[in-house]
Amino acid sequence: MSSDALEALTSAGIAATAADSFGPTAVDVPAESWVAAHEVLRDAVGLTFFDFLSASDELTDGFRVVSHLADFWGGAHVEHLLVRTLVPRAQSVLGSLSELYAGANWHERETFEMFGITFEGHPNLIPLLLPDGFEGNPLRKEFILASRVAKPWPGAKEPGESDHAGAPSRRRTLPPGVPDPETWGPRPPGSPTPDPLSPAQAATTPTRPRRAAGGERRTRRQAPPADAPPSDATTPTSAPPADPGQANDPAPSADPGPEGEGL
């Protein structure tokens, strides 16, 4: 399927490349050829079934939009293909597939409200899931979960929220979704505007530094081998057991004296 798809896209003048994928075969196409690539895959390759469309936030690289197409043939045999493209973060605009696949309508509306990606040519690009008046795009990595800042998280404590004074060596960390106060919130007039991606980029770094290669490690006490003889200083000395024969003998009687004496 990947060779047929790549050959068809290349013949149509689309610069498509094979992409690494742990699941179905995937191809990358330029954002400006997004709609044209899907038209070729539907008409020339036979991928007539549209499954889903979504996106992922790649931080400074932009947004990666992916669609899943399929072709049913030979009874239960199904051919799968993922089509991917990268949209710039500063200008997140992409052509709509709703004219090619009717099922793309709701998927593009959801991606629009969750990531803020505009799909040109969509007939009704309005919010689908979020309530009226909601501000922001929740699936962007710079989106701040304000409820985590306004009130404590119910139930189990998150890292950094516990009031326990023990374990001073462990560094306190912010719970998921709570930004550093230096990168979010009200700021005095004249303060520099913080980078909106800084909380998301900080979350990708390890919260606990690794030990240096040449650092000293505390050695653990090792238990003695099982076959090692016990030490004389710690082994108590036990008395020899009594003769079992003496324990059963009756107590000795008085000397009767000469034979017949006393009769």
Side-chain angles (χ1 to χ4, degrees):
M1 173 58 67
S2 60
S3 58
D4 296 341
L6 286 175
E7 183 179 356
L9 292 172
T10 304
S11 300
I14 299 174
T17 57
D20 295 333
S21 174
F22 293 101
T25 304
V27 295
D28 286 334
V29 298
E32 59 271 14
S33 304
W34 178 250
V35 178
H38 282 79
E39 186 174 5
V40 171
L41 294 173
R42 185 195 64 175
D43 299 338
V45 184
L47 296 170
T48 58
F49 181 80
F50 176 87
D51 187 17
F52 69 83
L53 181 144
S54 187
S56 62
D57 190 343
E58 304 295 335
L59 296 176
T60 55
D61 293 336
F63 300 101
R64 189 174 300 280
V65 183
V66 57
S67 67
H68 180 213
L69 308 178
D71 175 26
F72 296 89
W73 61 277
H77 189 81
V78 183
E79 292 284 357
H80 300 270
L81 182 68
L82 295 178
V83 187
R84 312 189 315 176
T85 192
L86 201 61
V87 180
R89 195 176 199 90
Q91 189 179 2
S92 51
V93 179
L94 196 62
S96 175
L97 302 178
S98 57
E99 294 294 331
L100 299 176
Y101 298 99
N105 189 309
W106 283 18
H107 294 259
E108 291 179 347
R109 288 175 59 185
E110 180 183 7
T111 306
F112 163 70
E113 65 178 344
M114 293 296 175
F115 292 93
I117 301 174
T118 302
F119 291 90
E120 288 185 334
H122 193 284
N124 189 32
L125 198 61
I126 60 176
L128 177 67
L129 302 175
L130 299 176
D132 294 339
F134 188 91
E135 296 182 1
N137 307 109
L139 291 188
R140 287 195 176 204
K141 290 185 177 179
E142 77 267 18
F143 184 81
I144 300 301
L145 300 178
S147 61
R148 297 302 311 275
V149 182
K151 61 182 180 180
W153 183 256
K157 292 291 186 179
E158 296 284 356
E161 293 182 338
S162 176
D163 298 330
H164 190 267
S169 60
R170 176 171 294 183
R171 186 174 61 180
R172 294 173 63 86
T173 59
L174 289 173
V178 177
D180 187 348
E182 296 296 329
T183 61
W184 181 80
R187 308 180 67 80
S191 300
T193 303
D195 183 6
L197 291 182
S198 56
Q201 292 172 337
T204 60
T205 60
T207 57
R208 190 174 184 180
R210 295 181 178 272
R211 189 187 303 273
E216 298 181 357
R217 298 180 63 91
R218 184 173 59 182
T219 58
R220 295 184 177 181
R221 297 180 59 185
Q222 298 182 355
D227 55 351
S231 175
D232 294 340
T234 59
T235 305
T237 303
S238 58
D243 187 358
Q246 295 179 0
N248 297 328
D249 290 343
S253 59
D255 188 8
E259 184 179 354
E261 183 176 359
L263 294 177

